[in-house]
Amino acid sequence: MISILDYKKTLIISLISVVSLLLLVSINVSYDRYRSIITNQKSLYTESSCECDFILHGLDIRAGECSDSSYPVLGGVDLVNYFTSFKISEDYYDETKIGSIGYEEFSYQYKGYTYYFTSLSNKELFIQSPESYLPQYGGFCAYGVTNEYCPSYPWAADCLGPPGNWAQWTIINNKLYFFYNGDAKALFIERYNDLIPNGDSRWSYWFADDNDIS
């Protein structure tokens, strides 16, 4: 016969197994969702035919996916929310907030690209001053643009990357910067006074003939 103690041990082991399985499933679902968001984000501006496959932090992504105006910019994230809903006070923002996807019914075309918004009021704010809300460097990782060079990284005008992450961002001098992950953001924040001029010069060099590039 199984003793009460043995029965309790068996029950506890079974419960641990179930919890572990549920946790594993949850992690996989989160990873798949994150991967989906990243790989479905489209470059804001580049019209390149970038074909450089690049393995970055375990994610097999196609760096700098070509811009496709049939898709909403950056997967449809509402850019206005970063400046309004996430604002705490003058020049201070809650950077723990994650961007939200907008709705097609509140979409707006600007310079050939479609932007989604979560509300009519956000759409109207964008219409009043679109350039005020556009992310720097086309929404790609600001650290990648400002400080990652060949031969370690393939980034170029025809191979932009890595993609920005809706959850990793900052606003400096009223300009929105996205990052691939928290590490890239931390490195950027440490030296942004030096890195931003680097990135601005590099981006201008890449797109010297395109006045629409942010």
Side-chain angles (χ1 to χ4, degrees):
M1 293 181 64
I2 300 176
S3 66
I4 294 178
L5 181 59
D6 290 336
Y7 175 76
K8 288 182 177 180
K9 287 181 179 180
T10 302
L11 181 60
I12 291 173
I13 292 174
S14 298
L15 288 173
I16 292 175
S17 298
V18 171
V19 171
S20 299
L21 179 60
L22 291 174
L23 180 59
L24 181 60
V25 170
S26 176
I27 291 173
N28 286 335
V29 169
S30 298
Y31 172 81
D32 289 342
R33 182 174 181 275
Y34 176 70
R35 178 188 176 89
S36 175
I37 289 175
I38 284 183
T39 55
N40 283 308
Q41 287 181 10
K42 301 295 178 180
S43 148
L44 274 174
Y45 303 111
T46 180
E47 297 294 346
S48 73
S49 57
C50 178
E51 296 179 351
C52 52
D53 291 328
F54 193 62
I55 305 299
L56 190 64
H57 299 292
L59 289 180
D60 183 4
I61 63 174
R62 182 168 292 278
E65 272 193 305
C66 300
S67 178
D68 185 340
S69 59
S70 66
Y71 290 87
V73 167
L74 288 172
V77 67
D78 187 337
L79 297 171
V80 175
N81 275 338
Y82 289 95
F83 294 89
T84 57
S85 300
F86 302 163
K87 188 172 185 177
I88 299 174
S89 61
E90 193 65 29
D91 297 327
Y92 290 96
Y93 301 85
D94 184 354
E95 296 183 8
T96 65
K97 299 291 187 180
I98 301 175
S100 301
I101 192 168
Y103 303 100
E104 187 174 4
E105 63 182 293
F106 300 129
S107 63
Y108 180 70
Q109 289 274 337
Y110 180 67
K111 293 184 176 180
Y113 293 90
T114 303
Y115 296 82
Y116 278 13
F117 305 95
T118 55
S119 67
L120 178 60
S121 59
N122 278 8
K123 174 182 175 179
E124 291 174 343
L125 283 173
F126 184 86
I127 292 173
Q128 291 173 15
S129 182
E131 299 294 329
S132 299
Y133 300 102
L134 299 184
Q136 301 303 293
Y137 315 133
F140 289 97
C141 176
Y143 186 73
V145 174
T146 61
N147 201 58
E148 292 181 344
Y149 297 90
C150 292
S152 298
Y153 299 92
W155 317 137
D158 60 350
C159 186
L160 294 170
N165 182 333
W166 298 357
Q168 301 295 335
W169 59 278
T170 191
I171 293 177
I172 299 174
N173 295 327
N174 296 315
K175 293 182 178 180
L176 175 61
Y177 298 86
F178 283 107
F179 306 92
Y180 179 76
N181 58 24
D183 290 339
K185 176 181 176 179
L187 291 169
F188 180 87
I189 294 298
E190 286 179 1
R191 301 173 48 222
Y192 72 85
N193 283 324
D194 296 323
L195 295 179
I196 289 177
N198 290 348
D200 291 350
S201 296
R202 192 183 194 190
W203 195 261
S204 295
Y205 174 76
W206 283 347
F207 302 102
D209 298 325
D210 192 337
N211 294 325
D212 294 343
I213 297 298
S214 290

